[in-house]
């Protein structure tokens, strides 16, 4: 069983900001480019009300350093 539970995108985005990610620039629609010192940029492409499932959360965590405790 996954350590991750489905979560709203707005909650995940807020958690990313708490761990040091900041919006570098906003593109069209829901796309935002996030940046953090010492990490490659990360493209955020979710609307606030979107539900992000466990598999996608695991992928986001792998690239950003997010943990289930951060949520």
């Amino acid at each position: 069983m996954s350590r991750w539970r489905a979560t709203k995108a707005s909650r995940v985005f807020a958690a990313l900001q708490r761990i040091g990610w900041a919006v570098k620039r906003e593109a069209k629609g829901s796309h935002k480019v996030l940046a953090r010192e010492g990490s490659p940029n990360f493209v955020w492409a979710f609307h606030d009300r979107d539900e992000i499932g466990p598999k996608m959360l695991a992928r986001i965590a792998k690239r950003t350093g997010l943990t289930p405790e951060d949520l």
Side-chain angles (χ1 to χ4, degrees), residues 24-60:
K24 183 176 180 179
R25 70 177 183 271
E26 293 190 41
K28 291 185 177 182
S30 61
H31 287 68
K32 295 177 177 82
V33 177
L34 305 178
R36 181 170 76 170
E37 187 71 32
S39 298
N41 291 346
F42 179 71
V43 177
W44 180 258
F46 299 97
H47 292 281
D48 286 344
R49 292 184 178 168
D50 287 348
E51 188 84 15
I52 302 176
K55 275 189 167 184
M56 183 55 71
L57 282 171
R59 290 178 189 164
I60 292 169

Side-chain angles (χ1 to χ4, degrees), residues 1-15:
M1 185 164 173
S2 177
R3 299 176 14 190
W4 297 98
R5 300 184 63 155
T7 308
K8 292 285 185 190
S10 59
R11 187 171 178 193
V12 178
F13 186 72

